[in-house]
């Protein structure tokens, strides 16, 4: 979900809400992208996808991360005064590291 000027991520099956995008490698992921306010554009650069985040509309896009490493998440739609600062990070990691991340965040493994 995009909000002026931050991204938030919810992993409903795992019971986690966070502002960092962490994913396991070689596991398909479906993003349900929306906005709480104005239009944004969800762009996790290293994942090679980009999709609009529109107010009160959910847009779906999927991918399968195929290598470990950092993720830079940016907004690619001019969304207001602090648009240039609407970015966060994350990581594609091994399944074991992802499982540890889930438990460290207080979530539960699916």
């Amino acid at each position: 979900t995009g909000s002026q000027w931050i991204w938030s991520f919810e992993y409903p099956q795992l019971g986690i809400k966070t502002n960092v995008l962490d994913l396991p490698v070689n596991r398909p992921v479906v993003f349900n992208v929306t906005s709480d306010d104005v239009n944004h554009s969800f762009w996790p650069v290293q994942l090679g996808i980009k999709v609009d985040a529109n107010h009160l509309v959910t847009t779906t896009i999927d991918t399968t991360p195929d290598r470990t490493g950092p993720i830079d998440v940016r907004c690619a739609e001019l969304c207001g005064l602090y648009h240039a600062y609407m970015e966060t990070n994350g990581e594609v990691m091994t399944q074991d590291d992802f499982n540890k991340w889930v438990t460290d965040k207080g979530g539960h493994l699916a």
Side-chain angles (χ1 to χ4, degrees):
T1 301
S3 302
Q4 287 181 312
W5 290 272
I6 192 166
W7 292 107
S8 60
F9 305 97
E10 186 173 345
Y11 301 73
Q13 307 90 336
L14 306 175
I16 295 174
K17 292 181 182 180
T18 182
N19 296 106
V20 177
L21 178 60
D22 286 336
L23 301 169
V25 70
N26 297 322
R27 186 165 153 195
V29 60
V30 176
F31 294 101
N32 297 302
V33 181
T34 191
S35 169
D36 284 337
D37 44 41
V38 301
N39 292 344
H40 300 279
S41 184
F42 175 65
W43 183 27
V45 177
Q46 290 80 358
L47 298 182
I49 59 173
K50 182 167 55 169
V51 68
D52 290 340
N54 297 314
H55 182 58
L56 301 178
V57 175
T58 299
T59 309
T60 302
I61 193 166
D62 61 276
T63 189
T64 302
D66 62 0
R67 64 182 71 93
T68 59
I71 305 171
D72 300 309
V73 181
R74 299 184 181 146
C75 179
E77 178 76 28
L78 183 58
C79 61
L81 184 62
Y82 295 106
H83 160 71
Y85 302 103
M86 188 174 170
E87 56 186 26
T88 190
N89 58 14
E91 182 178 353
V92 176
M93 58 189 76
T94 66
Q95 186 66 56
D96 287 343
D97 287 344
F98 184 75
N99 291 347
K100 182 178 180 335
W101 175 83
V102 169
T103 57
D104 287 351
K105 288 279 190 186
H108 50 273
L109 298 175

